Amino acid sequence: MIHDLLHARTGPLTRELLRTPGEFGLGQVPATSKPDATTRLVCGYCSTGCGLTAHLQSGEAINLSPTTEYPVNLGMACPKGWEALTVLDSPDRAVSPRLKNSRGQFDAVDWNRALSEFTGRFQAIQAAHGPQSVAFLSTGQMVTEEMAFLGALTKFGMGLLHGDGNTRQCMATAVVAYKQAFGFDAPPYTYADFEESDVIVLIGSNLCIAHPIMWERVMRNPHSPEIIVIDPRMTETAMNATQHLPVTPKGDLALLYGVARLLIQNGWIDETYIDEHTSGFEQFRQFVEPFTLSEVTTQTGLTSAQIERFAETIHRGQRVSFWWTMGVNQSHQGVRTAQAIINLALMTGNIGRPGTGANSITGQCNAMGSRLFSNTTNLLGGHEFANPQHREKVADILGIDPNVIPTESSWAYHEILEGVLKGKIRGLWVICTNTAHSWINQNMARDILSRLDFLVVQDMYHTTETARMADLILPAAGWGEKDGTFINSERRVGVVKKVRKAPGQALSDFNIFRLVAHHWGCGAMFDKWTSPAAVFEMLKQCTRGMPCDITGIRDYQHLDREGGIQWPYPDAESIQVPVTNRDELTDPVENSKHNVTAPNDDSHLASERRLFEDGRFFHSDSRAKFLFEESRPLTENPSSQFPFLLLTGRGSASQWHTQTRTQSSAILRKLYPQQPFVELNPQDARQLAIQQDEQVHITSQRGEMTATAFLTHNVQPGQVFIPMHYAATNQLTDAVFDPYSKQPAYKACAVSVSKLGRTSLV
Amino acid sequence: MTSTVHSQLDQQETFNITRPLTGDDFLAQLLHEQQSLTAVEEFSQSHSAGTVPAQAKYYAKLMPVKAPQPGEQYAFEVNLDACSGCKACVVACHALNGLDEQETWRDVGLLVGGTTTNPVIQHVTTACHHCLEPACMTACPVDAYEKDETTGIVRHLDDQCFGCQYCTLACPYDVPKYHSGKGIVRKCDMCVDRLSSGEAPACVQSCPHEAIAIRVVEVETVRENAEVDPFLPAAPEPHITYPTTVFKTERNFPRNTLPADYYSINPQHPHWPLIIMLVLTQLSVGTFAVGLILESLLASSLLDSFRPIQATLALVLGLAALGASTLHLGRPQFAYRAIIGLRHSWLSREIVAFGLFAAAAVSYSAVVWWPGGTSERLAILGGVVLMTGMIGLLCSAMIYVFTQREYWNFSRTVSRFLMTGLILGLATTWLALLLTTVVSQNDRVPQLLARVGPALAWSLMAATAFKLLWEAALFLHLFDRRNSPMKRSARLMVGPLASPLLMRFAAGLLGGIVMPGFLLLNSHPAAALPMIDLKQGVIVGMLFAACLLGELMERYLFFAAVSAPRMPGGLRS
């Protein structure tokens, strides 16, 4: 006792940090949060789709750790995933509906008042300006069932025509590239391909920071692969590459064409594959003729040796996989660049085999769910609004009148915003996205939002930049507070579960949609939409006969048991019917049939599967198309007034998009600079007399911001880089879009950089 | 809000969804659904039944094959070529160890360098290095650190810690972190109980790229490496504490590779209780010293009225300093534990020395109130006061010298503390003279004033001028070509710490030069009038206050402007 007074080896403070076996297959856990049960769910940040094991006490999640057995992440997670529960406890959570009063301040109101405002204001706008004068903007962050509900409710129940998702900002380019080249939006790969390649080509993709768990899979590759990174910046991923090609921004298209020409010229192509499985190669061969080494070196800033070595590495590789992310997608010529990548895979026969593929890594946790089920560009399940048989099929499954289904697609995101400017869109419902931060040329975007007659924002947080502009805020439950499914980058359908109670009056988006349907007066149309599980059943039926057929998935429990299931996963009945062809929609063709076998209770399909193993694509001739086009110059080249090219991108693995969630974790906040910084080459800094850590002013034709100068050789002279997570960044960007995908080109605009002045005495 | 909603809903019965619902029923049903958690019932759990964690199959190869033998210990091994900078290790450590909301035990820094054609970026994950000679452990006055003999793990005993935070200054790697809410420091323990059951530490088992491993290292190898190994660019040199972490890479970093935060300067924590404690103990020692000098120069009777007042003033301010020092402790109720680190901790020694000083000073100050005390014994007692005080002052200095920060090196720190003692000793003596004239009717007081006044004023002006010039000499380091620690301190002072710097020099000049100058101009040695009138009283008061403020600000800068060593940090803005 006396000894303890003098030297206490244990006591209450020591006990605070005691660890104890967690059981349930876990290692030791903090004794204060020892679970009485565990359950696993898919992470709600990026499209990697990691499995997380929630540690439960009395059914409620009190901690989490990555799921060891999940086939995606193999027991690992990035900081965002580890902190996924923390951000649910934020004081910024929306806990009741909030209505903006005449003084511009928000009053908390109850749901009935909120919904009467919602229906009253929107219906009044529709009465005055037509049903299409109200539109919606949604997300790649909600579960599939909620996306489908939103799309069905707005388009079938509320009479809206236009709605788009923030997925337009991340993967629209990949969608169009795949649809045109393969006949369906079908990323062909499985993550095991990262481990099986002997050559991995990453184009505009910083896996280390944007998708750390996919980089985990690269690091597990036992074949000592050549890793080629094509990126203007020396990123973490480039640092770990065996070849880094610091291409001039948007010079990637010319580079890819030039490499195609080299491969052809040297006979390093797979003529058998080209003959049997592709179309348009001859035209492509002629097209790339002018992309000589001297031409390509001029356009890319690379040396002949670098380009030749790249081509030779592809040639020598037995299993070459090509991966691209936002560096390609967010470009004024993104679709053609993505297709130039696809062309390389096709012409070298690097597709449909382990460790190969032309593979788009997308952004959000449910980007793929949105692509198939958001009911915006496509009718539910990858169908087409214009096709009467598709409308019949979907109407039949949903038990609705086919005539309520629009016969045309929605406007794209920027067309909806332009519609506001033109007075055609008067009311907007923004769900689970943050337009006022993330949309390109932000000052203009905010101006557009301010012109709306009625803006409803439905979000977890009432403090997002967009929520602050709203007339009405609807409080939504977040990830972990609701059930449903996500589909990840490798087409894996995974389950999200309710393991936390939503704060206050917040409701899941699903239940908000049920409530809206009820108040709008179209509740009867959604009688079958009683739960996410019930909707999942209908969505399964919608996919029957489509390339994304998931009729073989029995239920959420089945998904949970299997660690997620990749599409396609047709049931026995579907297997008898060939996959619907995309070109001749009324006449499914025999040769589009997949080489998948029907799953049954005893044996199911492999956990990791890739598409096109039989070399058959979804076009009517079952061939993949070579697609190409002359490269277009940058829309805003550096000038004497704005001499730098601004690159944007992800800043750290601890930040997510507009940071509405990640900024709510004290730990994540410690892991990145709180204030904006700009990467500037020391050579440029010397000319501008800018010192390390100095505050600088960055200006474009559209806006301005201040940031801390980070002098680094990571960026080339004449280029600067600013992470996209800081709200001011998009004040600089230029609203330019890919003509096919209508995806914004965030990654190249002209800016100037100047000293702001100094704060010290010397 | 949540609880209100929930309690209302708990009273609801199960809803019959077949009957038509009113709007309110429907809303209530949805709110009820939102609050019920059913994942456990709906989904069967499958998990490995054994006691080995499922994750073991991934981390097995990252664990040592056998336990350390004599002459060996556990160490972190970081494969820099695999560290991608995702920082999962930091967050996993936080989550799996149940750390507080803001608390992290691991950090990830960034090295950058190279050229435009060959740029380099390298993230570096680091935690406690479980050093061979842990500075935290040596510094700790209460033996709250233990280095395990077998594993070499440096553990912190949370319940033993009394929150003096000395370890946070002593560790060159900025590892121990003070937790103000709990009043203690906490740090990485290499997940010792995980290790002992064969499980990998949280950071090891969570790194997606297997960049962190636990290895057994030979103690002698660590020492040998410290002779030549630069450890990491711009990281503190390893010979100070012999950190055991092994950073391995096959890359050749260009010579200009530096931490991303290499040029950033951040003021350090000022530790106000320590500022007050240091300045006032030095004041006290200095005042006793000035008193003893006067005793040796002047006739004893001349000082009879003055002596008790001066001694009491020195004592009271000295005791206030010791009181202030306990405010620095996170858990002052355990202050008594400080004596147990006497054999190794300068902080323990300081506390003991100043304890003895206080006892001697109390005795001395008591004795001097008795008229006719034998001057010989008084002189001996005074000598004891001075000696213990000087030892205490030296121990104070050694606390900072021990940290091996250049700005706090031996000559700089000892000189600084001695000069503060001298300046404030002189200033306090002036204050004592003022008080003596106010309270004493002794007619020899004017004589004393006339005798010592000019000398005291000139001494103060000289000491102040010397110290201010000496302090200003730091700014010569602004011209250093390298971003040396001294240059960082100078940059901090002229940059973010410019206001306290101006205050320090203004107060120093006012109290140490201008006010004593006034006293010299206004003194009337020829007249037999009491020297200190109201005007003079105000001047002396200002002299004392400004000198004290000046030294307090000097000490603020001592703490805030020090360039603290650390592992490579990330980008700051």
Side-chain angles (χ1 to χ4, degrees):
Chain A
M1 178 64 193
I2 288 172
H3 187 261
D4 275 1
L5 282 175
L6 209 55
H7 200 234
R9 299 187 55 80
T10 185
L13 290 168
T14 308
R15 283 193 288 276
E16 278 184 25
L17 292 180
L18 276 188
R19 290 170 284 234
T20 186
E23 299 174 26
F24 307 103
L26 304 170
Q28 292 188 10
V29 296
T32 47
S33 54
K34 182 176 160 61
D36 56 29
T38 61
T39 195
R40 73 183 176 196
L41 65 168
V42 176
C43 179
Y45 283 103
C46 84
S47 67
T48 308
C50 297
L52 302 175
T53 298
H55 305 188
L56 307 174
Q57 279 178 356
S58 309
E60 188 152 23
I62 39 115
N63 202 353
L64 62 73
S65 54
T67 308
T68 308
E69 309 297 341
Y70 203 70
V72 167
N73 49 319
L74 314 177
M76 303 297 162
C78 78
K80 300 183 290 292
W82 278 100
E83 278 289 281
L85 291 171
T86 309
V87 302
L88 301 176
D89 296 327
S90 166
D92 291 337
R93 287 296 299 271
V95 292
S96 72
R98 289 158 75 91
L99 185 63
K100 196 173 265 176
N101 62 28
S102 54
R103 299 186 307 282
Q105 292 158 335
F106 285 105
D107 297 324
V109 296
D110 64 18
W111 274 106
N112 283 330
R113 174 76 200 284
L115 286 161
S116 72
E117 284 288 329
F118 181 98
T119 50
R121 299 280 293 273
F122 275 150
Q123 286 177 351
I125 289 170
Q126 285 183 317
H129 303 284
Q132 300 173 14
S133 60
V134 174
F136 71 89
L137 292 174
S138 80
T139 183
Q141 301 283 151
M142 291 193 309
V143 294
T144 306
E145 294 78 356
E146 292 175 340
M147 287 176 179
F149 202 158
L150 174 65
L153 168 65
T154 50
K155 293 197 163 182
F156 310 154
M158 294 166 64
L160 273 57
L161 177 59
H162 301 303
D164 201 11
N166 62 10
T167 42
R168 183 70 61 184
Q169 294 160 272
C170 68
M171 34 44 69
T173 290
V175 172
V176 176
Y178 279 140
K179 271 189 184 173
Q180 293 181 345
F182 294 162
F184 194 78
D185 173 18
Y189 62 98
T190 184
Y191 293 149
D193 290 324
F194 282 122
E195 299 177 15
E196 298 187 26
S197 297
D198 57 2
V199 177
I200 295 172
V201 183
L202 294 157
I203 303 142
S205 177
N206 186 6
L207 282 191
C208 287
I209 294 301
H211 301 94
I213 301 305
M214 293 197 206
W215 184 251
E216 170 199 346
R217 304 296 296 264
V218 174
M219 295 292 276
R220 281 170 193 264
N221 185 314
H223 310 293
S224 306
E226 278 283 329
I227 301 174
I228 301 165
V229 170
I230 298 167
D231 197 311
R233 277 173 78 219
M234 172 57 88
T235 61
E236 282 79 356
T237 313
M239 187 69 200
N240 286 295
T242 52
Q243 298 175 38
H244 173 215
L245 306 183
V247 66
T248 311
K250 307 308 152 206
D252 44 5
L253 187 55
L255 171 66
L256 296 164
Y257 287 152
V259 168
R261 182 182 177 279
L262 273 178
L263 293 170
I264 294 167
Q265 189 186 344
N266 293 321
W268 293 341
I269 54 175
D270 185 341
E271 303 216 13
T272 317
Y273 193 91
I274 294 169
D275 287 348
E276 290 179 4
H277 302 298
T278 70
S279 62
F281 179 69
E282 201 41 49
Q283 294 90 318
F284 181 61
R285 182 203 297 269
Q286 286 163 21
F287 170 80
V288 296
E289 265 310 305
F291 289 88
T292 59
L293 264 181
S294 69
E295 174 63 25
V296 176
T297 51
T298 310
Q299 288 198 34
T300 60
L302 302 171
T303 64
S304 308
Q306 284 173 308
I307 298 166
E308 285 174 319
R309 185 175 165 210
F310 176 25
E312 190 175 345
T313 310
I314 294 173
H315 164 60
R316 288 179 180 278
Q318 301 298 306
R319 298 173 306 280
V320 185
S321 57
F322 300 85
W323 309 81
W324 78 86
T325 313
M326 295 311 147
V328 169
N329 283 356
Q330 293 175 340
S331 157
H332 70 292
Q333 48 187 1
V335 169
R336 291 299 177 243
T337 309
Q339 286 166 341
I341 297 166
I342 293 171
N343 293 346
L344 288 184
L346 292 174
M347 68 197 285
T348 55
N350 277 304
I351 195 156
R353 291 184 291 118
T356 66
N359 306 328
S360 149
I361 301 165
T362 55
Q364 305 180 75
C365 53
N366 203 20
M368 181 51 79
S370 160
R371 285 148 87 153
L372 296 176
F373 296 107
S374 68
N375 211 35
T376 51
T377 311
N378 297 323
L379 180 58
L380 293 174
H383 292 92
E384 305 215 334
F385 283 103
N387 184 302
Q389 280 172 310
H390 283 185
R391 295 200 299 271
E392 288 277 353
K393 172 184 167 186
V394 170
D396 186 46
I397 293 165
L398 302 185
I400 59 172
D401 176 359
N403 293 321
V404 304
I405 300 181
T407 56
E408 53 183 300
S409 295
S410 293
W411 279 345
Y413 203 128
H414 75 101
E415 291 164 335
I416 291 173
L417 293 183
E418 282 167 23
V420 178
L421 274 183
K422 291 174 185 160
K424 291 181 177 172
I425 302 288
R426 303 283 185 141
L428 189 65
W429 185 10
V430 176
I431 303 101
C432 194
T433 191
N434 191 7
T435 307
H437 179 316
S438 67
W439 193 249
I440 200 160
N441 189 0
Q442 187 186 90
N443 290 329
M444 189 180 183
R446 291 188 185 191
D447 174 60
I448 290 171
L449 292 179
S450 72
R451 291 165 188 249
L452 286 159
D453 293 347
F454 193 51
L455 172 62
V456 179
V457 173
Q458 181 170 322
D459 206 287
M460 287 171 69
Y461 302 100
H462 63 77
T463 50
T464 73
E465 285 81 358
T466 314
R468 289 173 212 264
M469 299 186 70
D471 299 297
L472 175 66
I473 301 173
L474 301 179
W479 170 91
E481 297 169 347
K482 55 189 185 178
D483 302 319
T485 56
F486 286 153
I487 311 179
N488 76 355
S489 265
E490 52 161 5
R491 312 179 315 282
R492 184 178 302 277
V493 186
V495 185
V496 184
K497 299 175 192 171
K498 185 163 60 173
V499 292
R500 277 288 187 98
K501 295 171 183 174
Q505 303 273 317
L507 287 173
S508 67
D509 295 287
F510 192 90
N511 280 343
I512 296 174
F513 300 142
R514 290 179 78 191
L515 212 49
V516 167
H518 185 90
H519 279 257
W520 193 272
C522 58
M525 189 185 282
F526 298 98
D527 272 350
K528 288 166 75 175
W529 300 61
T530 52
S531 68
V535 172
F536 185 70
E537 281 306 309
M538 290 190 280
L539 298 182
K540 272 165 54 184
Q541 296 313 315
C542 288
T543 66
R544 183 175 298 284
M546 300 298 288
C548 58
D549 194 326
I550 50 168
T551 49
I553 299 173
R554 284 186 291 284
D555 49 22
Y556 288 171
Q557 285 73 16
H558 184 200
L559 287 171
D560 193 49
R561 241 182 353 263
E562 296 297 320
I565 293 174
Q566 288 175 300
W567 69 255
Y569 200 84
D571 64 7
E573 183 189 337
S574 261
I575 287 296
Q576 309 308 318
V577 185
V579 167
T580 307
N581 179 267
R582 304 293 302 153
D583 290 352
E584 298 170 34
L585 296 157
T586 52
D587 179 24
V589 285
E590 181 65 22
N591 57 13
S592 293
K593 199 190 289 181
H594 275 282
N595 60 348
V596 290
T597 47
N600 59 48
D601 286 341
D602 301 313
S603 73
H604 36 73
L605 296 169
S607 173
E608 301 240 14
R609 285 174 292 127
R610 55 191 64 79
L611 302 179
F612 312 129
E613 289 182 324
D614 55 358
R616 294 178 169 193
F617 295 86
F618 300 113
H619 285 301
S620 56
D621 57 2
S622 79
R623 289 168 177 270
K625 285 183 181 162
F626 280 89
L627 295 159
F628 46 87
E629 189 176 313
E630 209 53 69
S631 114
R632 279 190 300 271
L634 274 181
T635 45
E636 193 179 63
N637 272 305
S639 60
S640 57
Q641 198 187 349
F642 299 102
F644 291 94
L645 202 61
L646 168 66
L647 313 176
T648 65
R650 220 174 272 273
S652 76
S654 308
Q655 290 163 288
W656 180 247
H657 290 181
T658 68
Q659 296 223 77
T660 53
R661 271 185 290 173
T662 48
Q663 71 189 355
S664 292
S665 155
I667 294 300
L668 295 181
R669 279 200 305 273
K670 286 178 87 169
L671 302 182
Y672 54 84
Q674 290 305 296
Q675 300 304 316
F677 66 91
V678 54
E679 290 184 4
L680 179 68
N681 189 283
Q683 189 179 313
D684 292 328
R686 262 196 305 280
Q687 287 190 0
L688 297 166
I690 288 169
Q691 308 286 321
Q692 185 76 279
D693 292 341
E694 191 175 334
Q695 291 296 299
V696 297
H697 201 64
I698 304 125
T699 317
S700 79
Q701 292 207 53
R702 297 153 294 279
E704 58 187 357
M705 69 183 287
T706 52
T708 307
F710 174 35
L711 310 191
T712 168
H713 297 289
N714 304 346
V715 285
Q716 298 285 311
Q719 299 170 20
V720 295
F721 172 82
I722 307 175
M724 67 181 190
H725 313 289
Y726 303 108
T729 310
N730 272 326
Q731 294 186 16
L732 305 174
T733 50
D734 188 16
V736 174
F737 304 89
D738 179 280
Y740 307 102
S741 69
K742 296 164 185 177
Q743 180 160 348
Y746 283 99
K747 293 183 184 292
C749 74
V751 296
S752 70
V753 180
S754 60
K755 288 169 81 75
L756 188 68
R758 310 175 76 172
T759 50
S760 74
L761 289 177
V762 293
Chain B
M1 182 62 102
T2 312
S3 60
T4 331
V5 172
H6 196 62
S7 61
Q8 284 168 359
L9 293 170
D10 284 344
Q11 293 158 15
Q12 307 271 357
E13 292 301 310
T14 313
F15 294 89
N16 178 356
I17 50 169
T18 54
R19 93 180 142 78
L21 292 168
T22 68
D24 285 347
D25 281 350
F26 188 49
L27 175 62
Q29 176 198 339
L30 296 184
L31 285 167
H32 180 72
E33 262 179 30
Q34 200 64 54
Q35 298 297 319
S36 48
L37 302 175
T38 54
V40 177
E41 293 93 80
E42 284 176 27
F43 296 91
S44 60
Q45 300 169 50
S46 62
H47 50 80
S48 52
T51 50
V52 178
Q55 200 78 354
K57 62 180 175 183
Y58 294 126
Y59 60 66
K61 58 179 174 290
L62 304 173
M63 296 284 281
V65 183
K66 57 186 174 97
Q69 305 300 304
E72 295 178 334
Q73 74 159 75
Y74 284 136
F76 286 117
E77 180 186 81
V78 175
N79 179 0
L80 291 176
D81 301 347
C83 179
S84 71
C86 76
K87 309 188 185 183
C89 50
V90 179
V91 188
C93 166
H94 168 84
L96 291 181
N97 289 324
L99 305 189
D100 266 30
E101 191 188 348
Q102 309 255 354
E103 192 177 8
T104 49
W105 286 353
R106 191 166 262 288
D107 282 300
V108 178
L110 177 64
L111 298 171
V112 291
T115 60
T116 298
T117 48
N118 182 28
V120 164
I121 43 175
Q122 175 67 60
H123 293 272
V124 184
T125 175
T126 75
C128 175
H129 297 303
H130 299 279
C131 303
L132 300 187
E133 306 286 349
C136 54
M137 189 167 91
T138 313
C140 181
V142 298
D143 288 355
Y145 284 91
E146 288 184 341
K147 186 167 175 69
D148 188 275
E149 284 186 7
T150 315
T151 62
I153 293 173
V154 178
R155 290 194 70 181
H156 181 257
L157 305 176
D158 293 351
D159 280 288
Q160 176 62 9
C161 177
F162 70 163
C164 74
Q165 303 156 62
Y166 185 24
C167 53
T168 67
L169 298 178
C171 173
Y173 304 103
D174 193 23
V175 166
K177 294 281 176 4
Y178 182 62
H179 194 301
S180 58
K182 300 183 190 301
I184 59 164
V185 156
R186 303 209 289 200
K187 73 173 262 299
C188 160
D189 64 353
M190 212 186 249
C191 294
V192 59
D193 32 11
R194 286 199 172 93
L195 269 182
S196 63
S197 65
E199 186 186 341
C203 53
V204 174
Q205 59 175 292
S206 65
C207 176
H209 318 314
E210 300 176 347
I212 312 173
I214 301 296
R215 297 289 179 235
V216 170
V217 294
E218 286 187 26
V219 167
E220 269 320 300
T221 310
V222 174
R223 287 183 199 278
E224 285 162 19
N225 287 346
E227 282 298 320
V228 288
D229 193 349
F231 203 40
L232 281 174
E237 292 180 50
H239 68 263
I240 301 174
T241 60
Y242 295 115
T244 63
T245 304
V246 179
F247 292 98
K248 64 173 193 179
T249 178
E250 289 177 8
R251 291 176 181 151
N252 281 319
F253 293 121
R255 286 183 64 194
N256 68 354
T257 304
L258 286 171
D261 63 347
Y262 183 72
Y263 291 98
S264 72
I265 45 171
N266 296 78
Q268 299 293 304
H269 195 289
H271 300 290
W272 270 108
L274 292 184
I275 293 172
I276 293 167
M277 179 265 173
L278 286 174
V279 168
L280 291 188
T281 51
Q282 286 150 26
L283 174 152
S284 182
V285 175
T287 308
F288 280 116
V290 172
L292 291 174
I293 291 168
L294 293 180
E295 295 282 356
S296 68
L297 297 176
L298 301 174
S300 177
S301 58
L302 198 60
L303 295 165
D304 280 344
S305 313
F306 165 75
R307 183 185 298 121
I309 291 176
Q310 200 231 15
T312 307
L313 201 53
L315 175 71
V316 167
L317 291 169
L319 292 178
L322 300 182
S325 69
T326 59
L327 294 179
H328 181 62
L329 299 179
R331 301 201 300 160
Q333 68 271 34
F334 297 108
Y336 63 87
R337 286 178 179 168
I339 53 167
I340 67 178
L342 197 60
R343 276 180 300 153
H344 53 81
S345 171
W346 284 107
L347 185 53
S348 291
R349 292 168 189 163
E350 184 204 40
I351 290 167
V352 170
F354 277 126
L356 295 173
F357 166 74
V362 167
S363 314
Y364 180 85
S365 306
V367 171
V368 293
W369 283 100
W370 270 292
T374 56
S375 61
E376 204 169 284
R377 284 188 188 167
L378 200 61
I380 293 170
L381 197 51
V384 173
V385 171
L386 186 60
M387 195 177 67
T388 51
M390 290 302 282
I391 292 171
L393 187 146
L394 195 67
C395 290
S396 291
M398 287 309 295
I399 287 174
Y400 302 96
V401 175
F402 177 78
T403 64
Q404 307 215 24
R405 301 176 179 193
E406 204 178 332
Y407 187 47
W408 289 352
N409 73 11
F410 183 82
S411 63
R412 284 196 187 92
T413 309
V414 173
S415 312
R416 180 187 298 276
F417 288 7
L418 284 174
M419 283 192 280
T420 299
L422 179 60
I423 289 169
L424 292 181
L426 291 165
T428 310
T429 303
W430 268 110
L431 190 64
L433 282 170
L434 172 68
L435 292 174
T436 310
T437 55
V438 172
V439 301
S440 173
Q441 305 305 317
N442 191 322
D443 57 1
R444 301 199 66 181
V445 172
Q447 197 186 335
L448 174 66
L449 282 170
R451 186 76 194 279
V452 301
L456 285 176
W458 281 113
S459 306
L460 181 55
M461 288 168 75
T464 303
F466 180 79
K467 185 159 192 260
L468 291 181
L469 284 173
W470 179 79
E471 287 175 28
L474 174 73
F475 299 115
L476 292 174
H477 288 286
L478 286 172
F479 301 103
D480 287 0
R481 293 187 180 172
R482 264 189 79 227
N483 189 38
S484 64
M486 295 303 286
K487 184 174 186 176
R488 287 166 194 262
S489 295
R491 284 175 60 215
L492 271 168
M493 287 203 204
V494 296
L497 298 172
S499 304
L501 179 78
L502 289 176
M503 204 188 294
R504 187 275 168 278
F505 276 93
L509 285 170
L510 184 69
I513 309 276
V514 177
M515 289 299 141
F518 278 162
L519 287 175
L520 282 174
L521 291 175
N522 287 302
S523 63
H524 311 286
L529 293 168
M531 189 187 81
I532 293 184
D533 54 15
L534 182 63
K535 182 176 147 199
Q536 300 275 22
V538 170
I539 292 175
V540 171
M542 281 182 67
L543 176 150
F544 177 77
C547 280
L548 184 59
L549 177 67
E551 295 309 301
L552 288 170
M553 294 318 295
E554 177 265 299
R555 209 48 48 89
Y556 176 91
L557 294 167
F558 173 76
F559 283 105
V562 70
S563 168
R566 55 177 185 245
M567 290 299 281
L571 182 60
R572 301 193 188 190
S573 73

